[in-house]
Amino acid sequence: MVKARRKARAIALQVLYELDCTRHELEDTLAHHSEELALDAGVQEFARTLVMGVWPARTRLDRAIHKQAPQWPLREMASIDLNILRIALWEVGVQQTTPVKVIINEAVELAKKYGSDSTAKFVNGVLGSIADNLTALRAELAVLAPAA
């Protein structure tokens, strides 16, 4: 389960990065990654859930990131770093099915694998600050949560 979710987060990161850097369509990009990698159904579904949650919510997620890292203008932040943070914030603030510590750990692991030398420390710092202000984050992102 852990490896499957980690793989799904990596796929979601790759899809979000591609969407950030190109004018590709969301559905086409998701389909391409699913076909290219011959993903297991569970991995594919979790990656899709992440992308479909994060992509339309990125403006609101970016505002939350900016509040926690105002010294780092979003336009100057590497797309990989930004998308790792977006995924983690969406999981923590909207989805709320995985423990916060696990989400932070998974984000740091993605940062180590896909980011620059300083990405893991940066991601850990921002997410640690967000974890300290979890109630405010969840209130801010409540509008993104699907109706029960």
Side-chain angles (χ1 to χ4, degrees):
M1 177 73 144
V2 172
K3 283 187 178 186
R5 288 204 159 209
R6 181 169 289 171
K7 185 174 186 177
R9 287 182 183 97
I11 299 304
L13 176 61
Q14 292 167 23
V15 169
L16 291 166
Y17 177 78
E18 181 175 333
L19 292 171
D20 254 1
C21 297
T22 68
R23 293 180 186 258
H24 295 167
E25 294 294 322
L26 184 140
E27 288 294 338
D28 294 342
T29 304
L30 270 170
H32 171 76
H33 282 269
S34 295
E35 290 168 16
E36 181 89 10
L37 300 168
L39 297 176
D40 161 275
V43 171
Q44 186 173 345
E45 184 56 35
F46 189 58
R48 179 179 189 72
T49 297
L50 292 172
V51 171
M52 298 303 283
V54 170
W55 187 247
R58 64 193 181 281
T59 301
R60 192 172 291 267
L61 293 168
D62 289 355
R63 275 195 299 256
I65 292 166
H66 178 69
K67 283 182 182 179
Q68 298 305 318
Q71 69 279 20
W72 289 93
L74 294 175
R75 68 185 174 282
E76 294 177 15
M77 197 177 292
S79 181
I80 287 291
D81 301 4
L82 184 57
N83 280 299
I84 290 169
L85 291 170
R86 286 173 175 164
I87 291 168
L89 257 67
W90 188 82
E91 281 195 83
V92 166
V94 180
Q95 191 178 40
Q96 301 181 26
T97 58
T98 305
V100 175
K101 287 182 179 186
V102 172
I103 294 168
I104 292 172
N105 183 58
E106 290 293 308
V108 169
E109 290 303 315
L110 283 174
K112 287 177 184 176
K113 185 170 184 177
Y114 296 101
S116 68
D117 291 343
S118 60
T119 299
K121 186 175 181 181
F122 172 69
V123 164
N124 191 49
V126 173
L127 293 178
S129 179
I130 286 169
D132 291 342
N133 299 298
L134 204 50
T135 303
L137 173 72
R138 287 182 172 161
E140 185 176 344
L141 299 180
V143 70
L144 302 173

